Amino acid sequence: MIVIKSMQEFLLMQKAGRVVATVLNELETAIKPGITTKELDEIAESTILKMNSVPAFKGYGGFPASICTSVNDEVVHGIPGKRVLQQGDIVSIDVGAFYEGYCGDAARTFAVGEISPIAQKLLQVTKEALKQGVTMAKVGNRLSDIGHAIQTHVEANGFSVVRQYVGHGIGRKMHEEPQVPNYGLPGRGPRLKAGMALAIEPMVNTGQFPVKILGDNWTVVTQDGSLSAHFEDTVFITDGGNEVLTAQEEI
Ligand code: MG
């Protein structure tokens, strides 16, 4: 069942979204060659706690940190640790936080210093694909219209969309119904209604779409070693369109 949220719940989700966006802003400023992924996790956790919120990922299925940090060919679920970010790396940061029992969830892939033209294009295309998906999240459209728009944009640019991981409904729980794939035919699945909240999250590879999980049982990497990017926003569908709850203000 897809939960329809009330106005009161919308306001709480707005606050959770703002916590997540604030963390992303702080990390964007902090990301430089020489910083470790563990240091980024510490910044994120202290910001979440300072904003009277709870890290959503820490302890989720046993995950040991407050953010996921996935570098280069790592797609999602990378564990923060001693890894030092190098000039030319790309790092995907996924942040989740609960505020007053409601969850916000978002991800961005950031450049570490100067990056290659292909990496720049990957970040640009994945960000655009998320935007195309968000545009389709409106009353009257069908769920699969979102993934179709994402896949179309990604493949038109010569990249591929990860199939094994998908977006999700979000609210009192981080993962609610429905699943939100980033691919597929349009015009399928439930009709979208005001009061639905969705985490839309394309994962895009420069090479082929298959992925595998490393021996730490968390880190997902591209099978072919190609670069991967991940952009995610928590989106609330309203009568007039939608509101991106985790939008970052320009910094
Ligand atoms: Mg998510």
Side-chain angles (χ1 to χ4, degrees), residues 57 94 105-106 166-168 170 174-175 199 201 230 232:
F57 300 168
D94 199 342
D105 187 5
V166 297
H168 48 95
I170 181 167
M174 180 159 63
H175 294 128
E201 51 176 319
H230 181 206
E232 174 180 27

Side-chain angles (χ1 to χ4, degrees), residues 18 22 75 151 235:
R18 214 160 296 150
T22 302
V75 180
Q151 182 181 18
V235 178

